[in-house]
Amino acid sequence: MKKTTEGAGAKFLIVIIPLQGDVLYYNGNELNYQLRFKELKGDGFEIVDLTPHLVEYYRTYSINPYYDIDSHWNEYGHRVAKEVIYNVLVNRGFIKN
């Protein structure tokens, strides 16, 4: 997929979207998927992990960025993700501001 994307003159970005429990009960240890994506980053993939950003938001404001009834983001989770992804796209040269 990366080769196809780059062959078309585009850039490829992987966004890690953590599970609700990984955010609410984060203990500072690397999660299994973070270890795998670290390997991909070493292979030249551009990656952004939303886990630390959602954890920071939750711990700072004591607001769950997920709906209580399921594992989808609420307006707060979407806001955090939007800001992080936009900043990554601009700062890494995917788009111009």
Side-chain angles (χ1 to χ4, degrees):
M1 196 172 233
K2 182 180 180 215
K3 288 179 185 178
T4 303
T5 303
E6 290 174 346
K11 294 184 178 182
F12 190 82
L13 177 69
I14 297 172
V15 178
I16 299 174
I17 301 172
L19 299 171
Q20 182 177 21
D22 292 339
V23 171
L24 302 185
Y25 308 110
Y26 185 70
N27 62 10
N29 294 328
E30 273 193 317
L31 302 164
N32 288 336
Y33 60 82
Q34 288 174 317
L35 296 172
R36 176 63 185 124
F37 283 108
K38 187 182 279 186
E39 293 173 14
L40 288 173
K41 190 172 186 176
D43 290 340
F45 284 89
E46 291 277 344
I47 297 173
V48 60
D49 184 359
L50 296 178
T51 307
H53 305 282
L54 290 165
V55 168
E56 178 183 1
Y57 181 87
Y58 176 64
R59 290 183 177 171
T60 300
Y61 301 105
S62 298
I63 297 174
N64 184 351
Y66 295 83
Y67 286 110
D68 291 331
I69 58 171
D70 65 26
S71 60
H72 292 90
W73 291 327
N74 57 28
E75 63 185 285
Y76 304 104
H78 280 278
R79 183 180 305 144
V80 171
K82 173 195 66 138
E83 291 173 4
V84 171
I85 293 169
Y86 176 78
N87 288 330
V88 166
L89 292 174
V90 170
N91 293 333
R92 295 190 192 173
F94 283 81
I95 60 173
K96 294 182 181 176
N97 187 1

